[in-house]
Amino acid sequence: MTAKSLNSLKGVLVVVSLFLLSSCQKAEKAPAPKDALIMGFSQIGAESAWRIRNTQSVQEAAEQAGIQLIFANAEQKQENQIKAIRSFIAYQVDVIAFVPIVVSGWDNVLQEARKAGIPVLVTDRKIESDESLYAGFIGTDSEKEGREAALFLLDKFAGRKAGDMIRIAEFSGTVGSSVADGRAKGFRDSIEKEPGFEIFYSESGDFMRSKGYELMRTLLENRPRIDALFSHNDSMTLGAMDAMREAGLRPGKDIAIITIDAQQKAIDALNAGEVNCVIECNPNQGPLIMDIAKQLVAGGQAPRFIHVDEAVFREGDDISILPPRGY
Ligand code: GYE
């Protein structure tokens, strides 16, 4: 055997062992069977701890269900989501699921999926398109979350003196998203009919901690009286709390705080008396999404709207038995 042929044999061996290594690693992860159903999933991005848990839930549930997942992260851009969905169609996946960053602008791409005969599940956030363009929705009931926030405030300030005005600042989520619209609507529907409550400030913090911090810092510059903060998610709340502390204010005491998501840090803040009410928004939607996807691919139908279970945690509640949140 010449030195040259020995070298090329070595090369082959390296390639073969790399191949074996990679197939062993895959085997440990229990790869989906060859005829596994393929799902294309378009996620918004990773703007919050909630979103990161939502992604994990989808990935874990797909693996458990033996579904092969083609996962695309849109980095907060609708155009990236549309591109991803188009590539799923070109790839001829069995089913598509996506989290629509905003409510509008989906009709064309959904028509393309329909033409290709691929069922589509809308998850987490809702869309405004004609309902015949998608198979069903699985996600949160954001109007209910907004109503719960209002009910807590009505109760907390029930003892206010006649003529007193409770001044509320609202930090809302991504403009044009169904969850920001729903939370704002549910909140207003319940609070606006009550005298003595005023939403004196409402701005979008895009569901991001850094923006929650910026909004609160700017808001506090003129030292307005703020009785309560209604924040559409925990990430913005945590940022706002940092700004309150920097301004010498005690979160949960000088300003009442109502927040949505129920990530571990918000529950810890509730325990510490720094947050007054936490409304759970359930990110663990993966198992339901996989179940419904399987039904659809088998030729069945999906329920039109499935809202996942959610709880409300208030100051004074015994939440010591609550298991760790995992996000
Ligand atoms: O509340 C927030 C996020 O769409 C329900 O998006 C979701 C929201 C959630 O990033 O934290």
Side-chain angles (χ1 to χ4, degrees), residues 125-188:
R125 299 185 182 176
K126 293 180 178 159
I127 58 174
E128 266 170 13
S129 301
D130 171 356
E131 281 185 21
S132 71
L133 285 175
Y134 58 99
F137 165 82
I138 299 162
T140 55
D141 186 345
S142 46
E143 278 193 36
K144 180 168 170 274
E145 292 162 350
R147 283 197 300 275
E148 295 284 8
L151 291 180
F152 173 80
L153 270 185
L154 295 178
D155 201 41
K156 182 168 175 72
F157 291 101
R160 69 190 183 282
K161 285 192 231 101
D164 270 4
M165 190 55 93
I166 303 302
R167 287 166 50 83
I168 304 164
E170 177 186 42
F171 289 4
S172 63
T174 302
V175 174
S177 68
S178 70
V179 268
D181 292 353
R183 288 169 184 174
K185 179 176 187 303
F187 189 70
R188 282 165 180 71

Side-chain angles (χ1 to χ4, degrees), residues 7-302:
N7 270 343
S8 60
L9 178 66
K10 268 192 205 152
V12 170
L13 286 176
V14 169
V15 172
V16 169
S17 49
L18 276 179
F19 173 76
L20 287 177
L21 177 70
S22 67
S23 47
C24 285
Q25 282 170 355
K26 272 191 196 137
E28 274 170 20
K29 279 189 159 176
K34 262 207 198 102
D35 55 353
L37 180 163
I38 302 178
M39 171 187 281
F41 190 94
S42 165
Q43 178 61 286
I44 297 174
E47 72 280 2
S48 63
W50 188 99
R51 177 70 51 210
I52 291 166
R53 177 59 212 146
N54 180 243
T55 293
Q56 285 166 350
S57 170
V58 168
Q59 289 172 333
E60 288 163 8
E63 196 170 328
Q64 274 199 345
I67 291 178
Q68 194 181 321
L69 193 69
I70 307 180
F71 182 87
N73 174 339
E75 287 168 1
Q76 312 298 320
K77 291 201 181 82
Q78 181 177 32
E79 62 196 78
N80 289 346
Q81 292 204 278
I82 293 175
K83 266 190 218 150
I85 295 173
R86 290 212 163 108
S87 74
F88 300 152
I89 297 172
Y91 193 81
Q92 295 183 306
V93 298
D94 299 299
V95 57
I96 292 172
F98 76 114
V99 179
I101 185 160
V102 290
V103 287
S104 57
W106 303 103
D107 288 20
N108 290 343
V109 76
L110 291 181
Q111 262 148 12
E112 291 165 30
R114 182 159 72 183
K115 248 196 212 147
I118 302 173
V120 178
L121 274 175
V122 176
T123 78
D124 174 24
R125 299 185 182 176
K126 293 180 178 159
I127 58 174
E128 266 170 13
S129 301
D130 171 356
E131 281 185 21
S132 71
L133 285 175
Y134 58 99
F137 165 82
I138 299 162
T140 55
D141 186 345
S142 46
E143 278 193 36
K144 180 168 170 274
E145 292 162 350
R147 283 197 300 275
E148 295 284 8
L151 291 180
F152 173 80
L153 270 185
L154 295 178
D155 201 41
K156 182 168 175 72
F157 291 101
R160 69 190 183 282
K161 285 192 231 101
D164 270 4
M165 190 55 93
I166 303 302
R167 287 166 50 83
I168 304 164
E170 177 186 42
F171 289 4
S172 63
T174 302
V175 174
S177 68
S178 70
V179 268
D181 292 353
R183 288 169 184 174
K185 179 176 187 303
F187 189 70
R188 282 165 180 71
D189 284 352
S190 303
I191 212 131
E192 276 179 354
K193 27 181 209 276
E194 294 293 327
F197 289 87
E198 175 199 10
I199 305 168
F200 77 98
Y201 175 96
S202 180
E203 276 296 328
S204 168
D206 223 2
F207 286 126
M208 289 164 74
R209 182 172 180 150
S210 54
K211 294 201 184 163
Y213 171 79
E214 280 307 325
L215 286 183
M216 185 51 78
R217 211 179 58 142
T218 315
L219 180 58
L220 288 175
E221 267 165 16
N222 299 324
R223 290 268 152 195
R225 196 187 95 223
I226 310 174
D227 296 307
L229 168 68
F230 168 40
S231 163
H232 286 199
N233 87 338
D234 290 346
S235 297
M236 292 188 295
T237 305
L238 293 166
M241 287 166 68
D242 288 342
M244 288 180 199
R245 287 190 203 97
E246 277 177 24
L249 293 166
R250 294 167 307 163
K253 296 196 174 62
D254 297 321
I255 301 177
I257 299 180
I258 302 97
T259 183
I260 302 181
D261 274 359
Q263 73 178 74
Q264 188 65 52
K265 283 187 177 145
I267 294 293
D268 293 346
L270 180 68
N271 264 324
E274 293 197 301
V275 157
N276 308 78
C277 177
V278 178
I279 294 151
E280 181 188 28
C281 178
N282 186 349
N284 299 311
Q285 301 166 6
L288 255 177
I289 295 172
M290 300 308 148
D291 279 358
I292 306 283
K294 280 186 170 171
Q295 284 175 34
L296 286 174
V297 175
Q301 283 210 327

